[in-house]
Amino acid sequence: MTNKALLVVSFGTSYKETREKNIEHIEKILARKFPDRKFFHAYTSGMILKKLRERDHIIIPNVKEAMEDIVKEGFTDLLVQPTHIMNGVENDLMKADVLSFREHFSSLSFGAPLLTDTSDLFYVIDALTKELPALSEQEALVFMGHGSTHYANMLYGALDYAFKQTGHPHVYVGTVEAYPDLDAVLSLMEGKGYRHVYLAPLMLVAGDHASNDLAGEDEDSWKSIFQSRGYEATCILKGLGEYESICELYVRHALQAQPV
């Protein structure tokens, strides 16, 4: 029996289809990549875990519960790979929960979230632009990230800058809950002659934010706001976990993980 375990940690989603297409998709890829490790998973969102348990009777552990199971089964070598987009609040809390069990492991390693260093920005830009629509001078592509109060939120501005520096001037990055927000994106697009905008989530899953804040029919959704400004709007409801090349970057981060 192996003494090695793999723990894949996600924020989670209550949307069944996008959970299967994104989170479970990445989990399966990582599990296959590390056949010498027993697979475990966990979600960090208590709200989502509660909803899955009460509505769907699906039991997924939180990080501490998963760690208790790993310790109980006697594993002493643990690799933890988050599917988080950045090194934000959720990732910090996850690492703290895992490290509270440090004494039980002879080897404990963390893989990095998706966007951790500058090379990750350019990798993700290349991966996404190969699969999303080519843009005419009258078309723009706007990504919606979640946004955070964490200082790591600055990566969204860096990603926007990197898109333009790599020859994609019609691509913009905004967030739901931080800066750059939709107003900032709209101000940058003003006067550029765009008629049609593609809207896509810059999130692991195309869940609640993508379905409602991005593509919803309410007047305050991004789609509705763009339409009210005279743009044609097309939503691409595809989570990052559906892109094979994005999954490959998570695998690369897991392979590069160093013991703490």
Side-chain angles (χ1 to χ4, degrees), residues 50-170:
K50 183 174 185 287
K51 190 170 186 178
L52 289 173
R53 182 174 63 251
E54 295 179 353
R55 185 193 67 188
D56 303 329
H57 308 292
I58 294 174
I59 307 298
I60 294 174
N62 61 31
V63 176
K64 284 193 172 182
E65 291 167 342
M67 290 300 297
E68 288 169 355
D69 289 340
I70 292 167
V71 169
K72 185 177 180 180
E73 293 190 34
F75 293 99
T76 58
D77 182 327
L78 176 62
L79 168 61
V80 182
Q81 179 58 51
T83 65
H84 300 143
I85 303 300
M86 64 182 188
N87 293 271
V89 174
E90 294 293 324
N91 204 66
D92 287 350
L93 292 173
M94 176 275 292
K95 292 180 82 169
D97 283 344
V98 171
L99 288 171
S100 69
F101 293 84
R102 180 69 183 87
E103 65 189 56
H104 298 284
F105 297 93
S106 59
S107 178
L108 175 58
S109 306
F110 290 96
L114 184 69
L115 296 172
T116 294
D117 63 27
T118 305
S119 66
D120 295 336
L121 297 181
F122 294 111
Y123 178 100
V124 168
I125 288 170
D126 184 62
L128 294 178
T129 52
K130 284 179 178 176
E131 297 200 43
L132 290 166
L135 303 173
S136 71
E137 291 297 315
Q138 295 182 331
E139 293 179 318
L141 170 61
V142 177
F143 284 105
M144 171 196 272
H146 187 277
S148 172
T149 56
H150 195 279
Y151 59 82
N153 186 78
M154 290 185 289
L155 76 85
Y156 291 109
L159 183 61
D160 184 279
Y161 192 100
F163 265 113
K164 293 168 176 58
Q165 191 253 321
T166 53
H168 305 287
H170 307 309

